[in-house]
Amino acid sequence: MSSNNPTIKEIALRLNVSVSTVSRALHDHPRIGLKTRERVKELAREMKYVPNAQAIFFKKQKTAVIGVVLPSIKEEFFSQAISGIEAAATQYNYTILFGQSHDDPAIEKRVVDTMKRQRVDGIIISLSKNTHKISFLKEIEMAGIPVVFFDRVPDQADVHKVYCDIYKSTIDMVNWLYSRGFRKIAMINGPSILTASRERLEGYKQALSQKKMKIDMRYFESTDLTKEGTTHAMKKLLSLKNVPTAVISFNDYVHMDATQYAHLQGININKDIAFVSYSNLSITDYTAYPPLLSVEQYPYGQGEQSMETMIRAMKEQHPTHQYYHEEVPATLVIHGTKHVR
Amino acid sequence: MSSNNPTIKEIALRLNVSVSTVSRALHDHPRIGLKTRERVKELAREMKYVPNAQAIFFKKQKTAVIGVVLPSIKEEFFSQAISGIEAAATQYNYTILFGQSHDDPAIEKRVVDTMKRQRVDGIIISLSKNTHKISFLKEIEMAGIPVVFFDRVPDQADVHKVYCDIYKSTIDMVNWLYSRGFRKIAMINGPSILTASRERLEGYKQALSQKKMKIDMRYFESTDLTKEGTTHAMKKLLSLKNVPTAVISFNDYVHMDATQYAHLQGININKDIAFVSYSNLSITDYTAYPPLLSVEQYPYGQGEQSMETMIRAMKEQHPTHQYYHEEVPATLVIHGTKHVR
DNA sequence: GACTTGTGCGCAATCGTTTGCACACCGAAT
DNA sequence: ATTCGGTGTGCAAACGATTGCGCACAAGTC
């Protein structure tokens, strides 16, 4: 009936011992006699005593809570990532305080502030696509809360970060297309402020020049990741007099919008034009026009790795001069043609 | 440089006033003189003072944290839901402590225990599909932590719950099919322990009997929601000598597996057999065989509503005898045939 | 018998903040 | 001159748990 959780004080009172004895008994302190220990544990069980983590962590100045800030959990990539983070966190007995930035830097800052107030032990963050200054996060770090960036990471070296090498996998991707005879390779890239976009672009250019192909910027389009932006980009590509024979999309969502539009324009997907992409969403197995190939970025693995890195970062003494850069390998996943028509 | 966050004590020391004065000044207590108030606030800003929420909530016996337990965030339904919960929580200045059960009752219990330790102010939970006993949650409630169930809710009345009326929408769905001339209507339902499954079954039966149609249990199959389970169910339906002309799937994931298999068996989706489903996933717009119709269950809205209900539940004095049952309306969304082939 | 060693337990401080109460001072009203 | 009300501030307890230190008692050693 009592709404209040029992405390060690109440146990102590009932057993006529001191609170310190109860505390030590519950922790199996060797200096506490066996019978006392048993009596305490017995009563604790009976009273359904659950230690107050708030009090413990307050005392210890630790919370065993990690803040996780993502642009949007609606994206499969991030929901997979947080799943990995949570799995690893559970292993290390940490819990997850969760916040979304919705790609809005102001909200992102507010979420981070709340987490600081909550005195999380660390923050794992994938930056909003509109965030340019990360000074507020450096401040957090200066205040003794380690920050680990993942996937959408800043360029600078003085941060902990976990990401996969899009540059390298983009080169692999272009080579794959080249080896299959494609020469007119277009790209629908994401917003240029994203590191992810820059890496795609640089990998694209690098691969082409390795093959001694000249880079035609008319084959290079961008989208703001909305359906409209992607449709517009695809429209421009289709209007070229030299229509590309292959299109690399920024990710599978862009790919879906691009192919949907292209299909409406009478293009026979992966016949007239080959489509390849990034993300390797599980859902593409069910889509009308799966990409021939998609770069798997292992969001779950990146999430796990972020948590591992966080654990190590938390062990460093403050201030750190040791920054971890973890590169998770990306791999090309070639889809069967079973559902391609 | 200092890794430690400043406290009101340090501010008090520097200003030669007491901690109580600092505390009150920061809260604009009217009995503190204007100049003192200004001096305190000025210094607080200068020292980048951030109140220690741990200490405050420890003192106040409130954490402003709501625990959210979901089966798996990888499902779009739940990632949408948590998005809604988070949005509403932010409005009320609550933050979200997050955990997944992975449909495992043991993990579910462990997650809830951790949350109790953390002294969350409330728990919003969508039950694991294998959870039969919710006594551990009633205990949590007895201990003064309100529990709000959503979507996957228990049958009993003595709980707070938010859900949508699947029974009613199933009747609408069957009527929709009936009005278009379909008479051999099959169903691939989910695990029978889920309320969601029972409601679908009952709606199905009710609708058929309203139309004076006899209920043929050969048209009724179940899946454990795995691809294999669904394929098996579909296989049985296709092997009937009286093959159904319409199939109602438990949700869009089941629908995708069912139609994928049916297609491989040479069925012309939505021509030979009409397919309808639940969830109305945004992704179905891009899938090879979208359902003709899908029941929108508004996960985001259910999430928001769950948080609203939580706010109300937390206001009730303990123990409650006032339980909230919130029914979010479900609606039929009829897909165009644009991508159906 | 004095000394050491080990065993079993309690006292009290501590973490950062809030808050009821008391107190001191001041001007004004009686 | 006393009382009163208002204003500005400090004291100290409280929230729940942990932990260094100290004390009391018993058993063993010389």
Side-chain angles (χ1 to χ4, degrees):
Chain A
M1 268 311 93
S2 137
S3 99
N4 294 327
N5 301 74
T7 66
I8 53 170
K9 190 188 274 181
E10 291 169 39
I11 298 180
L13 220 60
R14 298 254 288 253
L15 252 38
N16 228 25
V17 294
S18 73
V19 288
S20 23
T21 301
V22 175
S23 173
R24 282 191 257 252
L26 290 172
H27 288 83
D28 283 318
H29 191 287
R31 298 287 286 273
I32 300 297
L34 191 63
K35 334 136 226 134
T36 313
R37 226 177 353 209
E38 288 309 323
R39 286 203 308 150
V40 169
K41 289 192 173 181
E42 169 63 21
L43 184 60
R45 219 172 302 124
E46 203 174 291
M47 295 175 71
K48 300 187 184 194
Y49 168 74
V50 176
N52 185 330
Q54 287 283 309
I56 296 170
F57 297 140
F58 166 54
K59 165 84 176 139
K60 296 195 169 172
Q61 303 290 84
K62 288 249 147 215
T63 52
V65 172
I66 300 294
V68 176
V69 187
L70 303 174
S72 168
I73 199 155
K74 292 184 192 174
E75 279 184 40
E76 187 176 336
F77 182 88
F78 291 116
S79 67
Q80 298 268 7
I82 200 171
S83 207
I85 293 173
E86 202 241 6
T90 303
Q91 274 196 334
Y92 291 102
N93 284 314
Y94 279 87
T95 41
I96 297 301
L97 202 64
F98 167 69
Q100 293 182 84
S101 67
H102 297 287
D103 280 323
D104 179 338
I107 298 180
E108 189 171 56
K109 181 158 171 27
R110 213 184 51 216
V111 169
V112 169
D113 280 347
T114 307
M115 290 182 172
K116 169 149 196 215
R117 253 198 247 297
Q118 293 277 357
R119 295 293 191 271
V120 295
D121 287 346
I123 292 182
I124 296 177
I125 183 169
S126 192
L127 290 174
S128 112
K129 68 181 173 199
N130 303 310
T131 301
H132 306 112
K133 303 198 350 253
I134 60 157
S135 53
F136 70 106
L137 286 163
K138 288 308 276 182
E139 270 180 29
I140 293 281
E141 198 175 67
M142 283 303 153
I145 303 177
V147 176
V148 172
F149 294 88
F150 88 95
D151 191 61
R152 297 207 195 153
V153 303
D155 264 341
Q156 54 203 266
D158 61 337
V159 293
H160 300 293
K161 50 184 171 180
V162 174
Y163 54 95
C164 58
D165 194 340
I166 292 299
Y167 172 74
K168 217 182 291 169
S169 46
T170 301
I171 296 178
D172 291 346
M173 198 174 209
V174 174
N175 286 344
W176 186 89
L177 288 169
Y178 188 92
S179 71
R180 268 154 192 76
F182 295 103
R183 292 297 179 272
K184 293 188 280 183
I185 301 172
M187 173 175 265
I188 302 179
N189 206 359
S192 57
I193 33 166
L194 293 186
T195 306
S197 298
R198 271 204 306 289
E199 289 179 350
R200 281 163 171 80
L201 175 55
E202 281 161 27
Y204 174 73
K205 285 180 174 171
Q206 174 64 22
L208 291 186
S209 40
Q210 274 173 3
K211 299 295 182 192
K212 312 277 187 240
M213 290 170 62
K214 73 172 211 303
I215 292 155
D216 184 345
M217 287 312 283
R218 281 169 301 185
Y219 284 164
F220 185 82
E221 288 292 333
S222 286
T223 171
D224 56 0
L225 309 182
T226 63
K227 188 180 188 116
E228 293 70 36
T230 301
T231 300
H232 180 73
M234 195 64 218
K235 192 174 199 168
K236 286 187 71 177
L237 292 177
L238 292 181
S239 70
L240 293 174
K241 69 166 182 289
N242 237 332
V243 174
T245 52
V247 173
I248 303 173
S249 296
F250 179 76
N251 64 25
D252 284 344
Y253 294 105
V254 169
H255 164 87
M256 289 190 279
D257 287 325
T259 48
Q260 193 171 75
Y261 175 77
H263 172 75
L264 289 177
Q265 299 305 307
I267 303 292
N268 196 339
I269 308 295
N270 290 338
K271 285 271 168 54
D272 302 339
I273 302 179
F275 283 84
V276 296
S277 175
Y278 300 80
S279 303
N280 194 34
L281 297 182
S282 58
I283 198 75
T284 53
D285 279 348
Y286 298 99
T287 55
Y289 322 107
L292 288 178
L293 172 156
S294 190
V295 176
E296 172 64 60
Q297 295 175 72
Y298 303 103
Y300 188 90
Q302 279 196 57
E304 282 182 314
Q305 183 60 59
S306 303
M307 191 65 212
E308 302 279 351
T309 303
M310 174 57 77
I311 296 287
R312 283 197 286 154
M314 289 190 299
K315 282 192 188 128
E316 296 277 324
Q317 86 274 29
H318 179 80
T320 316
H321 290 297
Q322 162 76 340
Y323 285 105
Y324 300 109
H325 294 183
E326 296 294 338
E327 193 184 301
V328 176
T331 56
L332 304 189
V333 175
I334 296 155
H335 287 231
T337 50
K338 45 185 171 162
H339 303 299
V340 181
R341 291 177 284 175
Chain B
M1 269 311 92
S2 137
S3 101
N4 294 326
N5 301 76
T7 66
I8 52 171
K9 191 188 272 183
E10 292 168 39
I11 298 180
L13 220 60
R14 296 254 289 254
L15 251 38
N16 229 24
V17 295
S18 73
V19 290
S20 23
T21 301
V22 174
S23 173
R24 283 192 256 251
L26 291 172
H27 288 84
D28 283 319
H29 191 288
R31 298 285 286 273
I32 299 297
L34 191 62
K35 334 133 226 140
T36 313
R37 228 183 343 219
E38 287 309 324
R39 285 202 312 151
V40 169
K41 288 191 173 183
E42 169 63 21
L43 184 60
R45 219 173 300 124
E46 207 173 288
M47 295 175 71
K48 299 187 182 192
Y49 168 75
V50 176
N52 186 330
Q54 287 284 307
I56 296 170
F57 297 140
F58 166 55
K59 167 80 177 143
K60 295 193 169 174
Q61 301 291 82
K62 289 251 147 213
T63 53
V65 172
I66 301 293
V68 176
V69 186
L70 304 175
S72 168
I73 198 155
K74 292 183 191 175
E75 278 184 42
E76 186 175 336
F77 182 88
F78 290 117
S79 65
Q80 299 267 4
I82 200 172
S83 206
I85 293 174
E86 202 242 7
T90 303
Q91 274 196 335
Y92 290 103
N93 284 315
Y94 279 87
T95 42
I96 297 301
L97 201 64
F98 166 69
Q100 293 182 83
S101 68
H102 299 286
D103 279 322
D104 179 336
I107 299 181
E108 188 171 58
K109 179 156 171 31
R110 214 184 51 216
V111 169
V112 169
D113 280 347
T114 306
M115 289 181 173
K116 169 150 194 217
R117 253 198 243 302
Q118 292 278 356
R119 297 291 193 270
V120 294
D121 288 344
I123 292 182
I124 296 178
I125 184 169
S126 190
L127 289 174
S128 115
K129 68 183 173 196
N130 302 310
T131 301
H132 306 113
K133 305 200 346 255
I134 60 159
S135 53
F136 69 106
L137 286 162
K138 289 307 278 182
E139 272 180 27
I140 293 282
E141 198 176 69
M142 283 304 154
I145 302 178
V147 176
V148 172
F149 295 87
F150 87 96
D151 190 59
R152 295 209 198 151
V153 303
D155 263 343
Q156 53 202 268
D158 62 337
V159 294
H160 300 294
K161 51 184 172 179
V162 175
Y163 54 94
C164 58
D165 194 340
I166 292 299
Y167 173 74
K168 216 182 292 170
S169 45
T170 301
I171 296 178
D172 292 345
M173 200 173 206
V174 174
N175 285 344
W176 186 87
L177 288 168
Y178 188 92
S179 70
R180 268 156 192 75
F182 295 101
R183 291 296 179 272
K184 294 188 277 184
I185 300 172
M187 173 175 264
I188 302 179
N189 206 356
S192 57
I193 33 168
L194 295 186
T195 305
S197 299
R198 271 204 305 288
E199 289 179 350
R200 280 163 173 79
L201 176 56
E202 281 161 27
Y204 174 74
K205 286 180 172 171
Q206 175 64 22
L208 291 186
S209 42
Q210 274 173 2
K211 298 295 182 193
K212 311 277 185 238
M213 290 170 61
K214 73 171 210 304
I215 293 158
D216 185 344
M217 285 314 281
R218 282 170 300 185
Y219 284 164
F220 185 82
E221 288 292 334
S222 284
T223 171
D224 56 0
L225 308 184
T226 64
K227 188 182 186 113
E228 293 69 37
T230 301
T231 301
H232 181 73
M234 194 64 218
K235 194 173 197 167
K236 287 187 71 177
L237 290 179
L238 292 181
S239 69
L240 293 174
K241 72 167 181 283
N242 237 333
V243 173
T245 52
V247 173
I248 302 174
S249 296
F250 179 74
N251 64 25
D252 284 343
Y253 294 105
V254 169
H255 164 86
M256 288 189 277
D257 286 326
T259 48
Q260 195 172 73
Y261 174 78
H263 172 75
L264 289 177
Q265 298 305 307
I267 302 292
N268 197 339
I269 308 295
N270 291 336
K271 284 272 166 56
D272 301 340
I273 302 179
F275 284 83
V276 296
S277 177
Y278 300 79
S279 304
N280 193 34
L281 297 183
S282 57
I283 200 76
T284 52
D285 279 347
Y286 299 99
T287 55
Y289 322 106
L292 288 179
L293 171 155
S294 190
V295 176
E296 172 64 60
Q297 295 175 70
Y298 303 102
Y300 188 90
Q302 278 197 57
E304 283 182 315
Q305 182 61 58
S306 302
M307 191 64 214
E308 302 278 351
T309 303
M310 174 56 76
I311 296 286
R312 282 196 286 155
M314 289 189 300
K315 282 193 190 129
E316 296 277 324
Q317 85 275 25
H318 179 78
T320 316
H321 291 296
Q322 160 77 339
Y323 285 104
Y324 300 109
H325 294 182
E326 295 294 338
E327 193 183 302
V328 176
T331 56
L332 304 188
V333 175
I334 296 155
H335 288 233
T337 51
K338 43 187 171 159
H339 305 298
V340 180
R341 288 177 289 174

